[in-house]
Amino acid sequence: MADTYDLVIIGGGPGGYNCAIRAGQLGLRVACVEKGATLGGTCLNVGCIPSKALLHASEAYENINTSYAALGIKTNGVSLDLAQMMASKSETVDGLTKGISFLFKKNKVEHITGTGRIAGPGAVEITDAKGKTISLVTKNIVIATGSEVTPLPGTKIDEKRIVSSTGALALPRVPKTMVVIGAGVIGLELGSVWRRLGAKVSVVEYLPRILPGADGEIAKQAQRAFKRQGMGFHLGMKVTGIETLKTKLKLSMEPAKGGDVQILEADVVLVCIGRRPFTQGLGLKTAGVKTDPRGFIETKNWQTGVPGIWAIGDCTIGPMLAHKAEEEGTACAEAIVGKAAHVNYAVIPGVVYTAPEIAWVGRTEEELIEAGIAFKKGAFPFTANARARANHETQGFVKVLADATTDEVLGVHMMGTNVSEMIGEAALAMEFRAASEDIARTCHAHPTLSEALRQAAMGVEGWTMQM
Ligand code: FAD
Ligand code: NAD
């Protein structure tokens, strides 16, 4: 006789584990099936967390070598211990994945290790590493199987010389030269890590700009900053092949619009041209779950077209972000018990954890222009912010976009140190549908970087005071 559950979740990433914890809190009998050895999914194991650990450590290393002297701190004999840097990253990952197991126990979530498949309505079949299969009967199934690396046609990722983000998070030595294919979030973050540690990094991007999706003005200024740091850019170029020689990789590229072939040599090539939904072997077709042409599961309020089957996170349409998956996981569990669940898709912040950091929430200038929405704009540079000057971290600016008639904040875009922490305030303001004047008239502590947001908001009505 098979066990009966209220909910079986397939996938233990930020979508799945948050859904499981919330479902446990709400009193459901819930199991979370994860094929990996640890919980946490892409984010904790090979994504957000290890990349941020390496970004933090490599930034400290670079700062010690480049900017500490100006602060009056002399350092001698600073050297890199890459093995220790990697060990420290792994320790963080290990601690956090174990933390999810603890939260599962605390919230009475059953963790089942194995590969899940939808065997029919209300039936999940799980196969473990030894091939042993068990079946669960459940009232609800949530698909939270995430995403995988989009391959570059004609290129085989070996995770040693031609790597995806997973290989780039665990290189055993610093390559002399690295070519990054794709000037998106992963390319800029992991490209920054290896450049800081000593690699000569060049980025090849198909589009004529970096960071598609980010505000154009921010992307332009960010590219200038990365260039000053020594990162090379080949924009509007398409890669036509990678030749694997004994000691080098030879990458051929040509202008996207057509033109002469150019060659770049590298020790390591990082392929990061996006991610695609991962739903392999789930039995979606037999279960009747529909996907769009790119393979994303189609949902309405996290429900697929099949009663009792839900889907959340990277395998569904929308930004492939851990906090989007988390929001959906929580909302989905609440919807399953009949609560009024909600995700505000207009207020999902995006952050690129480079130096300077880039962060935004809401719409870009380009999107507002395209939608024909009249807006006003206020901006404030960190060069005029007292805290940024005290810290010698004056790169970047904050920009607030507000509706020309109602003054409602429609978008906030930032580039600078610690803007990943500052964007939360803008998101909260937008969640409460604040006017730019609400931010401008909120007392901000002095001296803080967040005063730049206030000054930018003042700028919407033309009364910025500190510039
Ligand atoms: P995932 O985290 O991919 O989890 C899905 C899980 O399902 C996996 O553990 C997988 O093993 C499991 N699974 C799949 N199929 C089955 C099956 N049949 N049976 C059992 N288990 C199965 N996002 C951010 O917001 N901030 C960041 O800083 C950030 N940094 C990133 C850095 C990198 C290098 C990468 C690659 C991604 C990063 N992301 C970041 C994106 C983030 O990792 C994803 O958006 C997030 O993990 C999606 O969560 P998810 O639960 O939908 O899927
Ligand atoms: P991305 O979509 O951010 O960037 C991919 C880039 O590759 C784009 O600029 C695209 O134009 C370019 N590209 C596509 N095909 C190409 C080709 N053939 N040749 C050259 N360039 C090409 O994707 P990513 O950087 O791989 O990241 C994958 C996902 O992971 C993203 O959705 C992102 O949201 C998520 N992620 C988020 C964070 C974060 O939030 N800080 C960090 C890392 C990853």
Side-chain angles (χ1 to χ4, degrees), residues 10-15 33-35 41-43 46-48 51-52 114-116 144-147 165 186 275 278 313-314 320-323 325 353:
I10 309 179
V33 184
E34 170 54 55
K35 68 183 169 69
T42 303
C43 175
V46 288
C48 323
S51 61
K52 266 78 260 179
T115 302
T145 48
S147 61
S165 51
I186 293 181
R275 293 178 63 84
F278 180 78
D314 275 14
M320 287 178 149
L321 294 172
H323 42 282
Y353 295 82

PDB file of all heavy atoms in Angstrom, residues 10-15 33-35 41-43 46-48 51-52 114-116 144-147 165 186 275 278 313-314 320-323 325 353, ligand 1:
ATOM      1  N   ILE A  10       8.679  17.956  -6.340  1.00  0.00           N
ATOM      2  CA  ILE A  10       9.824  17.373  -7.050  1.00  0.00           C
ATOM      3  C   ILE A  10      10.844  18.480  -7.275  1.00  0.00           C
ATOM      4  O   ILE A  10      10.619  19.409  -8.044  1.00  0.00           O
ATOM      5  CB  ILE A  10       9.404  16.723  -8.382  1.00  0.00           C
ATOM      6  CG1 ILE A  10       8.232  15.747  -8.156  1.00  0.00           C
ATOM      7  CG2 ILE A  10      10.588  16.014  -9.035  1.00  0.00           C
ATOM      8  CD1 ILE A  10       7.719  15.077  -9.422  1.00  0.00           C
ATOM      9  N   GLY A  11      11.974  18.408  -6.558  1.00  0.00           N
ATOM     10  CA  GLY A  11      13.021  19.424  -6.652  1.00  0.00           C
ATOM     11  C   GLY A  11      13.186  20.151  -5.334  1.00  0.00           C
ATOM     12  O   GLY A  11      12.222  20.672  -4.769  1.00  0.00           O
ATOM     13  N   GLY A  12      14.429  20.174  -4.837  1.00  0.00           N
ATOM     14  CA  GLY A  12      14.704  20.775  -3.523  1.00  0.00           C
ATOM     15  C   GLY A  12      15.517  22.051  -3.598  1.00  0.00           C
ATOM     16  O   GLY A  12      16.323  22.340  -2.719  1.00  0.00           O
ATOM     17  N   GLY A  13      15.301  22.869  -4.669  1.00  0.00           N
ATOM     18  CA  GLY A  13      15.954  24.182  -4.769  1.00  0.00           C
ATOM     19  C   GLY A  13      15.139  25.238  -4.038  1.00  0.00           C
ATOM     20  O   GLY A  13      14.201  24.900  -3.303  1.00  0.00           O
ATOM     21  N   PRO A  14      15.459  26.524  -4.245  1.00  0.00           N
ATOM     22  CA  PRO A  14      14.742  27.597  -3.522  1.00  0.00           C
ATOM     23  C   PRO A  14      13.226  27.563  -3.740  1.00  0.00           C
ATOM     24  O   PRO A  14      12.461  27.906  -2.848  1.00  0.00           O
ATOM     25  CB  PRO A  14      15.325  28.882  -4.112  1.00  0.00           C
ATOM     26  CG  PRO A  14      16.620  28.502  -4.705  1.00  0.00           C
ATOM     27  CD  PRO A  14      16.535  27.068  -5.100  1.00  0.00           C
ATOM     28  N   GLY A  15      12.787  27.149  -4.935  1.00  0.00           N
ATOM     29  CA  GLY A  15      11.347  27.010  -5.172  1.00  0.00           C
ATOM     30  C   GLY A  15      10.801  25.880  -4.315  1.00  0.00           C
ATOM     31  O   GLY A  15       9.893  26.061  -3.490  1.00  0.00           O
ATOM     32  N   VAL A  33      11.197  15.668  -2.921  1.00  0.00           N
ATOM     33  CA  VAL A  33      12.058  14.689  -3.581  1.00  0.00           C
ATOM     34  C   VAL A  33      13.199  15.428  -4.269  1.00  0.00           C
ATOM     35  O   VAL A  33      12.957  16.336  -5.065  1.00  0.00           O
ATOM     36  CB  VAL A  33      11.251  13.912  -4.654  1.00  0.00           C
ATOM     37  CG1 VAL A  33      12.102  12.818  -5.276  1.00  0.00           C
ATOM     38  CG2 VAL A  33       9.965  13.367  -4.076  1.00  0.00           C
ATOM     39  N   GLU A  34      14.419  15.075  -3.963  1.00  0.00           N
ATOM     40  CA  GLU A  34      15.579  15.756  -4.568  1.00  0.00           C
ATOM     41  C   GLU A  34      16.557  14.700  -5.067  1.00  0.00           C
ATOM     42  O   GLU A  34      16.951  13.817  -4.322  1.00  0.00           O
ATOM     43  CB  GLU A  34      16.239  16.691  -3.547  1.00  0.00           C
ATOM     44  CG  GLU A  34      17.578  17.272  -3.953  1.00  0.00           C
ATOM     45  CD  GLU A  34      17.593  18.002  -5.308  1.00  0.00           C
ATOM     46  OE1 GLU A  34      16.793  18.928  -5.501  1.00  0.00           O
ATOM     47  OE2 GLU A  34      18.409  17.624  -6.166  1.00  0.00           O
ATOM     48  N   LYS A  35      16.953  14.829  -6.345  1.00  0.00           N
ATOM     49  CA  LYS A  35      17.861  13.819  -6.911  1.00  0.00           C
ATOM     50  C   LYS A  35      19.316  14.055  -6.515  1.00  0.00           C
ATOM     51  O   LYS A  35      20.123  13.129  -6.519  1.00  0.00           O
ATOM     52  CB  LYS A  35      17.714  13.735  -8.422  1.00  0.00           C
ATOM     53  CG  LYS A  35      18.176  14.950  -9.229  1.00  0.00           C
ATOM     54  CD  LYS A  35      17.881  14.705 -10.712  1.00  0.00           C
ATOM     55  CE  LYS A  35      18.056  15.927 -11.567  1.00  0.00           C
ATOM     56  NZ  LYS A  35      19.422  16.405 -11.745  1.00  0.00           N
ATOM     57  N   GLY A  41      19.350  22.970  -4.281  1.00  0.00           N
ATOM     58  CA  GLY A  41      19.274  23.167  -5.727  1.00  0.00           C
ATOM     59  C   GLY A  41      20.486  23.868  -6.314  1.00  0.00           C
ATOM     60  O   GLY A  41      21.576  23.886  -5.733  1.00  0.00           O
ATOM     61  N   THR A  42      20.249  24.471  -7.472  1.00  0.00           N
ATOM     62  CA  THR A  42      21.309  25.206  -8.165  1.00  0.00           C
ATOM     63  C   THR A  42      21.836  26.312  -7.261  1.00  0.00           C
ATOM     64  O   THR A  42      23.046  26.502  -7.113  1.00  0.00           O
ATOM     65  CB  THR A  42      20.733  25.829  -9.465  1.00  0.00           C
ATOM     66  OG1 THR A  42      20.176  24.783 -10.254  1.00  0.00           O
ATOM     67  CG2 THR A  42      21.799  26.564 -10.251  1.00  0.00           C
ATOM     68  N   CYS A  43      20.908  27.056  -6.662  1.00  0.00           N
ATOM     69  CA  CYS A  43      21.263  28.240  -5.885  1.00  0.00           C
ATOM     70  C   CYS A  43      22.323  27.951  -4.815  1.00  0.00           C
ATOM     71  O   CYS A  43      23.377  28.572  -4.782  1.00  0.00           O
ATOM     72  CB  CYS A  43      20.000  28.815  -5.256  1.00  0.00           C
ATOM     73  SG  CYS A  43      20.312  30.186  -4.168  1.00  0.00           S
ATOM     74  N   VAL A  46      25.514  25.205  -6.678  1.00  0.00           N
ATOM     75  CA  VAL A  46      26.392  25.626  -7.786  1.00  0.00           C
ATOM     76  C   VAL A  46      25.946  26.964  -8.380  1.00  0.00           C
ATOM     77  O   VAL A  46      26.146  27.218  -9.562  1.00  0.00           O
ATOM     78  CB  VAL A  46      26.427  24.546  -8.920  1.00  0.00           C
ATOM     79  CG1 VAL A  46      27.212  23.338  -8.495  1.00  0.00           C
ATOM     80  CG2 VAL A  46      25.020  24.166  -9.373  1.00  0.00           C
ATOM     81  N   GLY A  47      25.309  27.803  -7.576  1.00  0.00           N
ATOM     82  CA  GLY A  47      24.784  29.056  -8.121  1.00  0.00           C
ATOM     83  C   GLY A  47      25.056  30.236  -7.221  1.00  0.00           C
ATOM     84  O   GLY A  47      26.211  30.596  -6.953  1.00  0.00           O
ATOM     85  N   CYS A  48      23.962  30.821  -6.712  1.00  0.00           N
ATOM     86  CA  CYS A  48      24.030  32.062  -5.931  1.00  0.00           C
ATOM     87  C   CYS A  48      25.127  32.023  -4.863  1.00  0.00           C
ATOM     88  O   CYS A  48      25.962  32.929  -4.772  1.00  0.00           O
ATOM     89  CB  CYS A  48      22.717  32.314  -5.188  1.00  0.00           C
ATOM     90  SG  CYS A  48      21.221  31.864  -6.055  1.00  0.00           S
ATOM     91  N   SER A  51      28.934  31.347  -5.865  1.00  0.00           N
ATOM     92  CA  SER A  51      29.437  32.480  -6.665  1.00  0.00           C
ATOM     93  C   SER A  51      29.624  33.709  -5.783  1.00  0.00           C
ATOM     94  O   SER A  51      30.613  34.430  -5.921  1.00  0.00           O
ATOM     95  CB  SER A  51      28.525  32.773  -7.864  1.00  0.00           C
ATOM     96  OG  SER A  51      27.228  33.113  -7.452  1.00  0.00           O
ATOM     97  N   LYS A  52      28.692  33.918  -4.843  1.00  0.00           N
ATOM     98  CA  LYS A  52      28.854  35.090  -3.968  1.00  0.00           C
ATOM     99  C   LYS A  52      30.030  34.906  -3.012  1.00  0.00           C
ATOM    100  O   LYS A  52      30.718  35.871  -2.663  1.00  0.00           O
ATOM    101  CB  LYS A  52      27.564  35.367  -3.181  1.00  0.00           C
ATOM    102  CG  LYS A  52      26.666  36.377  -3.852  1.00  0.00           C
ATOM    103  CD  LYS A  52      25.852  35.872  -4.996  1.00  0.00           C
ATOM    104  CE  LYS A  52      26.347  36.148  -6.374  1.00  0.00           C
ATOM    105  NZ  LYS A  52      25.494  35.600  -7.447  1.00  0.00           N
ATOM    106  N   GLY A 114      16.201  10.949  -4.415  1.00  0.00           N
ATOM    107  CA  GLY A 114      15.933  10.131  -5.600  1.00  0.00           C
ATOM    108  C   GLY A 114      15.384  10.998  -6.712  1.00  0.00           C
ATOM    109  O   GLY A 114      15.149  12.193  -6.519  1.00  0.00           O
ATOM    110  N   THR A 115      15.205  10.386  -7.869  1.00  0.00           N
ATOM    111  CA  THR A 115      14.688  11.130  -9.024  1.00  0.00           C
ATOM    112  C   THR A 115      13.190  10.889  -9.135  1.00  0.00           C
ATOM    113  O   THR A 115      12.735   9.740  -9.203  1.00  0.00           O
ATOM    114  CB  THR A 115      15.405  10.663 -10.310  1.00  0.00           C
ATOM    115  OG1 THR A 115      16.808  10.883 -10.120  1.00  0.00           O
ATOM    116  CG2 THR A 115      14.934  11.434 -11.530  1.00  0.00           C
ATOM    117  N   GLY A 116      12.443  11.971  -9.132  1.00  0.00           N
ATOM    118  CA  GLY A 116      10.980  11.869  -9.147  1.00  0.00           C
ATOM    119  C   GLY A 116      10.428  11.902 -10.561  1.00  0.00           C
ATOM    120  O   GLY A 116      10.999  12.520 -11.462  1.00  0.00           O
ATOM    121  N   ALA A 144       9.235  21.522  -9.259  1.00  0.00           N
ATOM    122  CA  ALA A 144      10.198  22.601  -8.949  1.00  0.00           C
ATOM    123  C   ALA A 144      11.579  22.132  -9.372  1.00  0.00           C
ATOM    124  O   ALA A 144      12.534  22.165  -8.599  1.00  0.00           O
ATOM    125  CB  ALA A 144      10.151  22.906  -7.452  1.00  0.00           C
ATOM    126  N   THR A 145      11.665  21.680 -10.625  1.00  0.00           N
ATOM    127  CA  THR A 145      12.883  21.004 -11.073  1.00  0.00           C
ATOM    128  C   THR A 145      13.942  21.946 -11.649  1.00  0.00           C
ATOM    129  O   THR A 145      15.006  21.492 -12.087  1.00  0.00           O
ATOM    130  CB  THR A 145      12.526  19.917 -12.116  1.00  0.00           C
ATOM    131  OG1 THR A 145      11.640  20.505 -13.089  1.00  0.00           O
ATOM    132  CG2 THR A 145      11.820  18.744 -11.462  1.00  0.00           C
ATOM    133  N   GLY A 146      13.645  23.248 -11.691  1.00  0.00           N
ATOM    134  CA  GLY A 146      14.694  24.218 -11.982  1.00  0.00           C
ATOM    135  C   GLY A 146      15.133  24.301 -13.430  1.00  0.00           C
ATOM    136  O   GLY A 146      14.344  24.095 -14.361  1.00  0.00           O
ATOM    137  N   SER A 147      16.430  24.569 -13.587  1.00  0.00           N
ATOM    138  CA  SER A 147      16.957  24.840 -14.928  1.00  0.00           C
ATOM    139  C   SER A 147      18.344  24.228 -15.080  1.00  0.00           C
ATOM    140  O   SER A 147      18.947  23.767 -14.112  1.00  0.00           O
ATOM    141  CB  SER A 147      17.038  26.348 -15.144  1.00  0.00           C
ATOM    142  OG  SER A 147      17.903  26.930 -14.190  1.00  0.00           O
ATOM    143  N   SER A 165      29.114  27.548 -15.635  1.00  0.00           N
ATOM    144  CA  SER A 165      29.306  28.203 -14.341  1.00  0.00           C
ATOM    145  C   SER A 165      29.765  27.192 -13.288  1.00  0.00           C
ATOM    146  O   SER A 165      30.574  27.514 -12.412  1.00  0.00           O
ATOM    147  CB  SER A 165      28.017  28.896 -13.896  1.00  0.00           C
ATOM    148  OG  SER A 165      26.924  28.013 -13.958  1.00  0.00           O
ATOM    149  N   ILE A 186      26.022  35.845 -15.233  1.00  0.00           N
ATOM    150  CA  ILE A 186      27.072  34.878 -14.865  1.00  0.00           C
ATOM    151  C   ILE A 186      28.417  35.310 -15.444  1.00  0.00           C
ATOM    152  O   ILE A 186      29.447  35.297 -14.763  1.00  0.00           O
ATOM    153  CB  ILE A 186      26.714  33.449 -15.342  1.00  0.00           C
ATOM    154  CG1 ILE A 186      25.499  32.939 -14.560  1.00  0.00           C
ATOM    155  CG2 ILE A 186      27.912  32.502 -15.192  1.00  0.00           C
ATOM    156  CD1 ILE A 186      25.052  31.541 -14.918  1.00  0.00           C
ATOM    157  N   ARG A 275      20.211  29.982 -19.308  1.00  0.00           N
ATOM    158  CA  ARG A 275      19.819  28.682 -18.771  1.00  0.00           C
ATOM    159  C   ARG A 275      18.454  28.309 -19.365  1.00  0.00           C
ATOM    160  O   ARG A 275      17.714  29.174 -19.801  1.00  0.00           O
ATOM    161  CB  ARG A 275      19.770  28.711 -17.231  1.00  0.00           C
ATOM    162  CG  ARG A 275      21.160  28.904 -16.625  1.00  0.00           C
ATOM    163  CD  ARG A 275      21.125  28.975 -15.111  1.00  0.00           C
ATOM    164  NE  ARG A 275      20.656  27.775 -14.463  1.00  0.00           N
ATOM    165  CZ  ARG A 275      21.425  26.705 -14.177  1.00  0.00           C
ATOM    166  NH1 ARG A 275      22.706  26.709 -14.513  1.00  0.00           N
ATOM    167  NH2 ARG A 275      20.922  25.654 -13.560  1.00  0.00           N
ATOM    168  N   PHE A 278      14.568  22.745 -16.859  1.00  0.00           N
ATOM    169  CA  PHE A 278      14.931  21.329 -16.784  1.00  0.00           C
ATOM    170  C   PHE A 278      13.702  20.517 -16.361  1.00  0.00           C
ATOM    171  O   PHE A 278      13.256  20.604 -15.209  1.00  0.00           O
ATOM    172  CB  PHE A 278      16.073  21.115 -15.776  1.00  0.00           C
ATOM    173  CG  PHE A 278      16.475  19.674 -15.675  1.00  0.00           C
ATOM    174  CD1 PHE A 278      17.285  19.106 -16.657  1.00  0.00           C
ATOM    175  CD2 PHE A 278      16.020  18.872 -14.647  1.00  0.00           C
ATOM    176  CE1 PHE A 278      17.640  17.760 -16.596  1.00  0.00           C
ATOM    177  CE2 PHE A 278      16.370  17.531 -14.572  1.00  0.00           C
ATOM    178  CZ  PHE A 278      17.180  16.977 -15.554  1.00  0.00           C
ATOM    179  N   GLY A 313       9.188  28.318  -9.994  1.00  0.00           N
ATOM    180  CA  GLY A 313      10.636  28.520 -10.125  1.00  0.00           C
ATOM    181  C   GLY A 313      11.124  28.539 -11.566  1.00  0.00           C
ATOM    182  O   GLY A 313      10.379  28.830 -12.500  1.00  0.00           O
ATOM    183  N   ASP A 314      12.407  28.212 -11.730  1.00  0.00           N
ATOM    184  CA  ASP A 314      13.087  28.329 -13.027  1.00  0.00           C
ATOM    185  C   ASP A 314      12.435  27.510 -14.141  1.00  0.00           C
ATOM    186  O   ASP A 314      12.624  27.830 -15.316  1.00  0.00           O
ATOM    187  CB  ASP A 314      14.546  27.850 -12.902  1.00  0.00           C
ATOM    188  CG  ASP A 314      15.480  28.942 -12.409  1.00  0.00           C
ATOM    189  OD1 ASP A 314      14.989  29.965 -11.912  1.00  0.00           O
ATOM    190  OD2 ASP A 314      16.713  28.746 -12.519  1.00  0.00           O
ATOM    191  N   MET A 320      14.753  33.982 -14.026  1.00  0.00           N
ATOM    192  CA  MET A 320      15.345  32.796 -13.378  1.00  0.00           C
ATOM    193  C   MET A 320      16.144  33.263 -12.184  1.00  0.00           C
ATOM    194  O   MET A 320      17.380  33.387 -12.239  1.00  0.00           O
ATOM    195  CB  MET A 320      16.226  32.061 -14.381  1.00  0.00           C
ATOM    196  CG  MET A 320      15.414  31.343 -15.428  1.00  0.00           C
ATOM    197  SD  MET A 320      16.495  30.546 -16.596  1.00  0.00           S
ATOM    198  CE  MET A 320      15.535  29.142 -17.053  1.00  0.00           C
ATOM    199  N   LEU A 321      15.450  33.547 -11.102  1.00  0.00           N
ATOM    200  CA  LEU A 321      16.081  34.080  -9.903  1.00  0.00           C
ATOM    201  C   LEU A 321      15.617  33.287  -8.694  1.00  0.00           C
ATOM    202  O   LEU A 321      14.454  32.864  -8.617  1.00  0.00           O
ATOM    203  CB  LEU A 321      15.704  35.552  -9.719  1.00  0.00           C
ATOM    204  CG  LEU A 321      16.230  36.511 -10.795  1.00  0.00           C
ATOM    205  CD1 LEU A 321      15.635  37.890 -10.622  1.00  0.00           C
ATOM    206  CD2 LEU A 321      17.760  36.567 -10.759  1.00  0.00           C
ATOM    207  N   ALA A 322      16.529  33.134  -7.733  1.00  0.00           N
ATOM    208  CA  ALA A 322      16.214  32.355  -6.543  1.00  0.00           C
ATOM    209  C   ALA A 322      15.043  32.967  -5.779  1.00  0.00           C
ATOM    210  O   ALA A 322      14.155  32.252  -5.300  1.00  0.00           O
ATOM    211  CB  ALA A 322      17.445  32.281  -5.649  1.00  0.00           C
ATOM    212  N   HIS A 323      15.028  34.317  -5.682  1.00  0.00           N
ATOM    213  CA  HIS A 323      13.953  34.925  -4.889  1.00  0.00           C
ATOM    214  C   HIS A 323      12.615  34.875  -5.607  1.00  0.00           C
ATOM    215  O   HIS A 323      11.574  34.893  -4.966  1.00  0.00           O
ATOM    216  CB  HIS A 323      14.320  36.351  -4.449  1.00  0.00           C
ATOM    217  CG  HIS A 323      14.972  37.188  -5.495  1.00  0.00           C
ATOM    218  ND1 HIS A 323      16.296  37.050  -5.824  1.00  0.00           N
ATOM    219  CD2 HIS A 323      14.491  38.160  -6.291  1.00  0.00           C
ATOM    220  CE1 HIS A 323      16.605  37.915  -6.785  1.00  0.00           C
ATOM    221  NE2 HIS A 323      15.520  38.595  -7.086  1.00  0.00           N
ATOM    222  N   ALA A 325      11.749  32.195  -7.413  1.00  0.00           N
ATOM    223  CA  ALA A 325      11.363  30.812  -7.109  1.00  0.00           C
ATOM    224  C   ALA A 325      10.834  30.705  -5.682  1.00  0.00           C
ATOM    225  O   ALA A 325       9.828  30.038  -5.412  1.00  0.00           O
ATOM    226  CB  ALA A 325      12.570  29.891  -7.309  1.00  0.00           C
ATOM    227  N   TYR A 353      26.201  40.986  -8.781  1.00  0.00           N
ATOM    228  CA  TYR A 353      27.068  41.176  -7.608  1.00  0.00           C
ATOM    229  C   TYR A 353      28.525  41.431  -7.995  1.00  0.00           C
ATOM    230  O   TYR A 353      29.438  40.847  -7.444  1.00  0.00           O
ATOM    231  CB  TYR A 353      26.955  39.958  -6.686  1.00  0.00           C
ATOM    232  CG  TYR A 353      25.567  39.794  -6.100  1.00  0.00           C
ATOM    233  CD1 TYR A 353      24.564  39.175  -6.835  1.00  0.00           C
ATOM    234  CD2 TYR A 353      25.248  40.270  -4.836  1.00  0.00           C
ATOM    235  CE1 TYR A 353      23.282  39.031  -6.309  1.00  0.00           C
ATOM    236  CE2 TYR A 353      23.976  40.131  -4.308  1.00  0.00           C
ATOM    237  CZ  TYR A 353      22.996  39.508  -5.062  1.00  0.00           C
ATOM    238  OH  TYR A 353      21.724  39.377  -4.544  1.00  0.00           O
TER     239      TYR A 353
HETATM  240  P1  FAD B   1      16.880  24.831  -8.801  1.00  0.00           P
HETATM  241  O1  FAD B   1      17.594  25.610  -7.795  1.00  0.00           O
HETATM  242  O2  FAD B   1      17.566  24.542 -10.090  1.00  0.00           O
HETATM  243  O3  FAD B   1      16.472  23.467  -8.096  1.00  0.00           O
HETATM  244  C1  FAD B   1      15.862  22.423  -8.788  1.00  0.00           C
HETATM  245  C2  FAD B   1      16.221  21.135  -8.084  1.00  0.00           C
HETATM  246  O4  FAD B   1      15.426  20.096  -8.640  1.00  0.00           O
HETATM  247  C3  FAD B   1      17.661  20.700  -8.280  1.00  0.00           C
HETATM  248  O5  FAD B   1      18.250  20.491  -7.022  1.00  0.00           O
HETATM  249  C4  FAD B   1      17.579  19.410  -9.078  1.00  0.00           C
HETATM  250  O6  FAD B   1      18.579  18.472  -8.711  1.00  0.00           O
HETATM  251  C5  FAD B   1      16.207  18.910  -8.690  1.00  0.00           C
HETATM  252  N1  FAD B   1      15.571  18.026  -9.673  1.00  0.00           N
HETATM  253  C6  FAD B   1      15.417  18.236 -10.995  1.00  0.00           C
HETATM  254  N2  FAD B   1      14.718  17.220 -11.549  1.00  0.00           N
HETATM  255  C7  FAD B   1      14.433  16.349 -10.545  1.00  0.00           C
HETATM  256  C8  FAD B   1      13.732  15.126 -10.476  1.00  0.00           C
HETATM  257  N3  FAD B   1      13.156  14.591 -11.553  1.00  0.00           N
HETATM  258  N4  FAD B   1      13.641  14.511  -9.290  1.00  0.00           N
HETATM  259  C9  FAD B   1      14.206  15.049  -8.170  1.00  0.00           C
HETATM  260  N5  FAD B   1      14.872  16.214  -8.177  1.00  0.00           N
HETATM  261  C10 FAD B   1      14.979  16.861  -9.344  1.00  0.00           C
HETATM  262  N6  FAD B   1      19.693  33.750  -8.551  1.00  0.00           N
HETATM  263  C11 FAD B   1      19.574  34.785  -7.709  1.00  0.00           C
HETATM  264  O7  FAD B   1      18.451  35.180  -7.392  1.00  0.00           O
HETATM  265  N7  FAD B   1      20.675  35.392  -7.179  1.00  0.00           N
HETATM  266  C12 FAD B   1      21.919  35.002  -7.497  1.00  0.00           C
HETATM  267  O8  FAD B   1      22.891  35.578  -7.004  1.00  0.00           O
HETATM  268  C13 FAD B   1      22.082  33.928  -8.399  1.00  0.00           C
HETATM  269  N8  FAD B   1      23.307  33.500  -8.727  1.00  0.00           N
HETATM  270  C14 FAD B   1      23.434  32.445  -9.581  1.00  0.00           C
HETATM  271  C15 FAD B   1      24.710  32.034  -9.938  1.00  0.00           C
HETATM  272  C16 FAD B   1      24.884  30.979 -10.808  1.00  0.00           C
HETATM  273  C17 FAD B   1      26.274  30.540 -11.180  1.00  0.00           C
HETATM  274  C18 FAD B   1      23.739  30.288 -11.306  1.00  0.00           C
HETATM  275  C19 FAD B   1      23.908  29.109 -12.227  1.00  0.00           C
HETATM  276  C20 FAD B   1      22.467  30.688 -10.967  1.00  0.00           C
HETATM  277  C21 FAD B   1      22.302  31.772 -10.101  1.00  0.00           C
HETATM  278  N9  FAD B   1      21.041  32.240  -9.740  1.00  0.00           N
HETATM  279  C22 FAD B   1      20.913  33.312  -8.910  1.00  0.00           C
HETATM  280  C23 FAD B   1      19.816  31.599 -10.244  1.00  0.00           C
HETATM  281  C24 FAD B   1      19.237  30.646  -9.172  1.00  0.00           C
HETATM  282  O9  FAD B   1      20.200  29.685  -8.839  1.00  0.00           O
HETATM  283  C25 FAD B   1      17.979  29.975  -9.703  1.00  0.00           C
HETATM  284  O10 FAD B   1      17.076  30.953 -10.173  1.00  0.00           O
HETATM  285  C26 FAD B   1      17.312  29.168  -8.599  1.00  0.00           C
HETATM  286  O11 FAD B   1      18.165  28.174  -8.106  1.00  0.00           O
HETATM  287  C27 FAD B   1      16.023  28.521  -9.124  1.00  0.00           C
HETATM  288  O12 FAD B   1      15.436  27.762  -8.124  1.00  0.00           O
HETATM  289  P2  FAD B   1      14.527  26.497  -8.456  1.00  0.00           P
HETATM  290  O13 FAD B   1      14.096  25.937  -7.165  1.00  0.00           O
HETATM  291  O14 FAD B   1      13.504  26.862  -9.446  1.00  0.00           O
HETATM  292  O15 FAD B   1      15.483  25.479  -9.211  1.00  0.00           O
END
